[in-house]
Amino acid sequence: MGNVSVLCFAASYTVALVLEIAGLWVRFGWHRLAMVVMAVAGLVAHSAYLVYHSVGSVAFLRTPELWYLVVAWVLAAFYLWVVFTSPKTAMGLFVLPLVLITIALAETASTEPFAQQRASQFWGALHGSLMTLSTVTVSVGFIAGLMYLIQSWRLKHKVPPSPEFQLPSLEWLERTNSRALSFSVVLVCGGFISGIVLSRLQHSGDSSYQLFGDPVVISLLLMLVWLIVAEVFRMIYPSARRGRKVAYLTLASFGFLALTLITFTMNDVHGRPREASAAQSQDPSAHFAPPSVASSESAADELHLVGRHKAEVLS
Amino acid sequence: MNLRMVGCSHHQSNIAFRERLAFTPDQAANALSAWQQSHPGVEAVLLSTCNRTEFYAAAAGHSDAFTDNSLAEYLAGWHSIPLDEITQQLVSLDGQAVVEHLFRVAASLDSMVVGEPQILAQVKQAYELACELGSAGPHMHGCFQAALRVARRVTSETSLHRHRVSIPSVAIADFASRIFERFDDKRVLVIGAGEMADETLRYLRDAGAKRFTILNRDPGRAQALAAQWQAEAASWGDLHRQLVRADLVISTTAAGHPIVTLEYYRKQIADERNQRPLFILDLAMPRDFEPAIGEELGTYLYSIDDLAAACEQNRKSRQRELPRAERIIGEETSRFLTDARMQVSSPLITQLRAEWDVVKQAELARLLNKLGDLDQKSQEEITRFADRLVNKLLHPPLQSLRDEAENDSHTSLLDALRRLFQLRE
């Protein structure tokens, strides 16, 4: 399992996506089989990679990289479920690009652990899991919304169905859209609250720490507010429960998710103590080390420098 | 095998003629039972649909028990029609042509709407009825089972059946089913009572729809159609309420102007529907719904012209698939006939082998007796020599027989073999 790299499953998913795209024009007898085999191979390699890199770790979702890879895994599993339950649907054209983007984000994300003390393991795991699931539900809602708009456009323009590009019915997409939005509200809300609890446990007594100084927290709060507003809007305005409006709401939700993920990816210091973050930002060599180790190494470096300075003075 | 078919179809006969020769399921059962009694040993299957009535009969060997004329007489007699009145429009086929025709019928290549799926079920029902009554024997089993297999092969190996070409079928299968996941919980409103509405209702019922409301200016006609479809009838004054609560609307009135204008729809209907999806199939000419209504949110409006384009596209797609389907029919017909001929020749081959074996055994006994005391090994060697000799001598004629099984001249070769080796049936 140690030999499995990100490239292995990313390549499998890429081949599956290429086959999906090629299927729009030409299909061979083995086309679907090859697509399924590639996707299954990708998911198996993906699972092996996650298992190998999680064995013996304190927390399953312990680094931003792994967190992204778990999101990609759930989306890939969702794709395979659709492939087996609705084989004629062109779901891969929508889900696989998202899987590959998430893997690409994982590659750019930090491999350093989130700050986690043993006392907050439960809240850390809960926070990570809820954020993973909410990312998946918002993404599924986004895919369903996009498919709804395409299907609706095709129906309005009287485009006959094509065996190469079949989409689910508007009714199914609308239902999936609505449910994804509702689940997202609950999951993001849970993720945000568990994040606050986690932060309180980690930074109790630390007067210098400011929760809302973290850009990831601010963007997540914005997404939560948007989701609550969208859900309330849907509840009080009947037209917003239907068709294109709910599709637009889920597309906008994905916009907020993208904003949150960008700040999350750009910001290595999410959830860490301020001093560790400050030390990392000052010392690039310590940037990719675990916080506790980074802090001790920074201190050691300081001692070493002081020692060397002293030696120079003496000489 | 003597195989014949006499009948009529939409290719040669108009609907009035086909109606005269049509059989209800009960009539078909009675006709087959009567045929069995009057023609023992002659197998029969009767296929009667709205587009064709075809009487298939088969017997072993060259039976004179039935001819094209006797089959035609039977059909005419059953309906009490003078034979002279129908002979001109009847088609008769025999042998290979019957097999090929049956395969084309079952695969829906001979249908009015090529690729329509109902014919396969109708062929199957006709065959099952003959099986139940015992009028189908080994020949009919072979033919009809092969026909059902060929039809399934055409369905799976071509996309002929995927392309629908009738307006209602395209409307429901290609458009409405892309809007709605299921139809059993949807309300269907039918405005007017035209033939197209009737056909569309049939497709909707097949798709699972259950809740129908018929609305017509003439309440009597609305109630009559409602009774036929186990639906509700509604008065014309109820149009507004019905449009608000409907999920699918099929409109076929003969009104000279639109009965639902854009202004009326926007002000009276759209607000109350809260953008709930509405599928409107406007089959009227001139149209019942103003085309701009289709631009409204959640409203999917289709007229005959909109769907005709899809139908035409489907028709072209089918045309592209036809050569593949015809090739399958050709291959399967050839395979079926080869198998059938091999079955006919197998008793002759067995008989030929048996007779040569008798001669071989007699000659072996004579030779071994003449040679006197031979050890076991020598006796076995001589026996093996005799076996090899017989097999080698028989190989060329049997190979020729197998080769000829693919051609029509197979029967004459069988006759020649019988005469050459003096084989008696």
Side-chain angles (χ1 to χ4, degrees), chain A residues 148 151-163 167-172 174-175 237-240 242-245, chain B residues 162 174-175 177-182 185-186 273-277 293-302 306 310 313-314:
Chain A
Y148 185 98
Q151 181 74 303
S152 176
W153 183 90
R154 285 164 64 86
L155 284 163
K156 283 275 184 190
H157 290 81
K158 282 82 179 172
V159 179
S162 149
L167 297 176
S169 67
L170 292 182
E171 188 179 6
W172 188 91
E174 186 184 286
R175 199 169 54 231
Y237 181 45
S239 297
R242 310 210 181 276
R244 288 207 289 196
K245 284 202 172 60
Chain B
R162 281 186 218 144
D174 289 359
F175 288 94
S177 63
R178 283 156 73 197
I179 297 171
F180 302 112
E181 189 66 12
R182 47 192 284 197
D185 59 346
K186 303 293 180 299
R273 291 189 61 84
N274 289 318
Q275 293 175 19
R276 197 155 46 84
I293 290 171
E295 303 295 321
E296 295 296 296
L297 280 177
T299 307
Y300 300 89
L301 171 63
Y302 299 92
D306 297 329
Q313 190 178 321
N314 283 359

Side-chain angles (χ1 to χ4, degrees), chain A residues 167-201:
Chain A
L167 297 176
S169 67
L170 292 182
E171 188 179 6
W172 188 91
L173 290 168
E174 186 184 286
R175 199 169 54 231
T176 306
N177 235 332
S178 301
R179 285 178 184 170
L181 193 60
S182 302
F183 280 125
S184 301
V185 175
V186 175
L187 291 168
V188 172
C189 196
F192 188 76
I193 291 168
S194 59
I196 290 174
V197 174
L198 184 66
S199 164
R200 291 280 171 230
L201 286 173

Side-chain angles (χ1 to χ4, degrees), chain B residues 279-301:
Chain B
F279 170 83
I280 304 171
L281 179 57
D282 189 350
L283 298 170
M285 192 64 68
R287 285 175 284 188
D288 285 339
F289 286 74
E290 279 189 353
I293 290 171
E295 303 295 321
E296 295 296 296
L297 280 177
T299 307
Y300 300 89
L301 171 63

Side-chain angles (χ1 to χ4, degrees), chain B residues 151-165:
Chain B
R152 282 192 282 269
R153 193 182 154 199
V154 170
T155 306
S156 65
E157 292 183 23
T158 69
S159 57
L160 204 65
H161 298 72
R162 281 186 218 144
H163 306 290
R164 293 167 184 85
V165 293

Side-chain angles (χ1 to χ4, degrees), chain A residues 10-286:
Chain A
S12 297
Y13 295 143
T14 307
V15 175
L17 177 61
V18 168
L19 285 169
E20 282 269 12
I21 294 168
L24 290 173
W25 291 279
V26 61
R27 275 179 189 266
F28 307 101
W30 45 264
H31 201 102
R32 187 177 135 70
L33 180 68
M35 223 155 58
V36 172
V37 166
M38 292 317 294
V40 169
L43 195 68
V44 169
H46 199 154
S47 309
Y49 183 91
L50 288 177
V51 168
Y52 181 77
H53 287 85
S54 304
V55 168
S57 71
V58 174
F60 180 55
L61 300 159
R62 69 182 197 281
T63 70
E65 184 209 19
L66 278 181
W67 184 86
Y68 271 120
L69 289 178
V70 171
V71 171
W73 186 91
V74 178
L75 285 171
F78 170 73
Y79 163 68
L80 265 180
W81 175 72
V82 173
V83 163
F84 287 112
T85 52
S86 310
K88 289 180 180 170
T89 311
M91 190 66 83
L93 292 172
F94 298 87
V95 182
L96 287 174
L98 214 54
V99 171
L100 290 172
I101 289 169
T102 316
I103 292 171
L105 283 171
E107 286 299 281
T108 58
S110 169
T111 54
E112 293 308 307
F114 297 111
Q116 247 171 213
Q117 306 298 321
R118 285 205 163 271
S120 58
Q121 263 180 34
F122 167 75
W123 289 102
L126 184 67
H127 176 63
S129 305
L130 288 171
M131 292 320 298
T132 305
L133 290 174
S134 60
T135 304
V136 170
T137 52
V138 173
S139 301
V140 168
F142 165 72
I143 292 165
L146 203 59
M147 289 171 108
Y148 185 98
L149 294 178
I150 293 170
Q151 181 74 303
S152 176
W153 183 90
R154 285 164 64 86
L155 284 163
K156 283 275 184 190
H157 290 81
K158 282 82 179 172
V159 179
S162 149
E164 288 82 27
F165 186 69
Q166 286 193 25
L167 297 176
S169 67
L170 292 182
E171 188 179 6
W172 188 91
L173 290 168
E174 186 184 286
R175 199 169 54 231
T176 306
N177 235 332
S178 301
R179 285 178 184 170
L181 193 60
S182 302
F183 280 125
S184 301
V185 175
V186 175
L187 291 168
V188 172
C189 196
F192 188 76
I193 291 168
S194 59
I196 290 174
V197 174
L198 184 66
S199 164
R200 291 280 171 230
L201 286 173
Q202 282 186 337
H203 304 290
S204 56
D206 179 4
S207 58
S208 64
Y209 178 74
Q210 287 184 320
L211 181 66
F212 292 101
D214 187 338
V216 179
V217 176
I218 296 169
S219 57
L220 185 62
L221 180 63
L222 279 175
M223 181 163 93
L224 177 62
V225 170
W226 161 255
L227 285 171
I228 291 171
V229 167
E231 189 61 9
V232 170
F233 178 61
R234 233 167 49 83
M235 286 162 106
I236 59 175
Y237 181 45
S239 297
R241 287 176 219 154
R242 310 210 181 276
R244 288 207 289 196
K245 284 202 172 60
V246 71
Y248 289 140
L249 290 178
T250 49
L251 292 189
S253 304
F254 188 75
F256 280 95
L257 175 69
L259 180 72
T260 309
L261 292 180
I262 288 166
T263 51
F264 175 63
T265 310
M266 306 285 284
N267 195 320
D268 289 337
V269 298
H270 174 57
R272 291 194 190 167
R274 177 165 279 241
E275 57 275 20
S277 316
Q280 279 184 17
S281 56
Q282 283 166 11
D283 182 0
S285 66

Side-chain angles (χ1 to χ4, degrees), chain B residues 47 106 116-128 148:
Chain B
L47 173 65
E116 53 97 2
Q118 288 89 353
I119 186 66
L120 180 60
Q122 289 164 336
V123 170
K124 199 174 170 192
Q125 279 165 9
Y127 169 57
E128 284 172 350
L148 300 176

